[in-house]
Amino acid sequence: MDLTLRVWRQKDGQSTGRIETYQVSGIIPDMSFLEMLDVTNERLIEEGKEPIAFDHDCREGICGMCSLVINGKAHGGFSGTTTCQLHMRKFNDGDTITVEPWRASAFPVLKDLVVDRTSFDRIIQAGGFISANTGGAPDGNAVPIPKPDADAAMDAAACIGCGACAASCPNGSAMLFVAAKVSHLAHLPQGLPERGQRVLDMVAKMDEEGFGNCTNHAECEAMCPKDISISHIAKMNREFIRATVRGD
């Protein structure tokens, strides 16, 4: 495959970015999108040019690091697919592909396609955890959990924190990410003792980090590589109202 790549290049967070165009040839359709970028970088290095900086880690759709906007859509816009799971057979020979970093004010660009997503880490630190006494592990069946609650918790726990929700939202909202973390623990008995303070702290930190408000565009759900439902946002809103009314 021969492709034209239009890639966002930016030296650092203080520099002005720009789109640069590269001609790439000999791409194998079974390559992943990241492997295609690897090949592109190898050729740039051979030419004595600066390689394209981009995030990656597991390359198995688990870590959420492969945060790219491809042709205007987070992770390429294919259902249930991270960038590392996107293969070049989804494109056609001769295509022009535009690759950009996440676009959200709370995700400042560090270099080229790499953005700073530590705002998500700080939201988790604000309340995305449970407190438990140390000691021997309890029996797995000691605390029965209803099947619907277990299923809902597992669905929310599928969130990999990639940031596609915020990057695709017209408002730059992180509501789906925060809701997934809140809903996950709110459905489990282990998360109940701190459920009120958790949602208040995490929402407050989300606002402090500069994420926008949710206005129900549902772009987050459409672009989420783990198909997390916006029903979890409704769950978080109920948890927030409950905590506010009860004064938790």
Side-chain angles (χ1 to χ4, degrees), residues 152-167:
M154 287 296 292
D155 289 344
C159 173
I160 56 177
C162 68
C165 49

Side-chain angles (χ1 to χ4, degrees), residues 65-76:
M65 295 294 289
C66 53
S67 48
L68 300 180
V69 175
I70 303 168
N71 289 337
K73 297 181 179 179
H75 294 298

Side-chain angles (χ1 to χ4, degrees), residues 127 129-132 189-200 248:
F129 53 84
I130 65 168
S131 298
Q190 294 88 341
L192 296 184
E194 299 161 301
R195 65 187 290 191
Q197 196 59 50
R198 173 182 302 111
V199 67
L200 294 176
D248 291 348

Side-chain angles (χ1 to χ4, degrees), residues 1 8 53 82 94 134 138 166 201:
M1 297 174 65
W8 183 263
T82 57
T134 58
D201 290 345

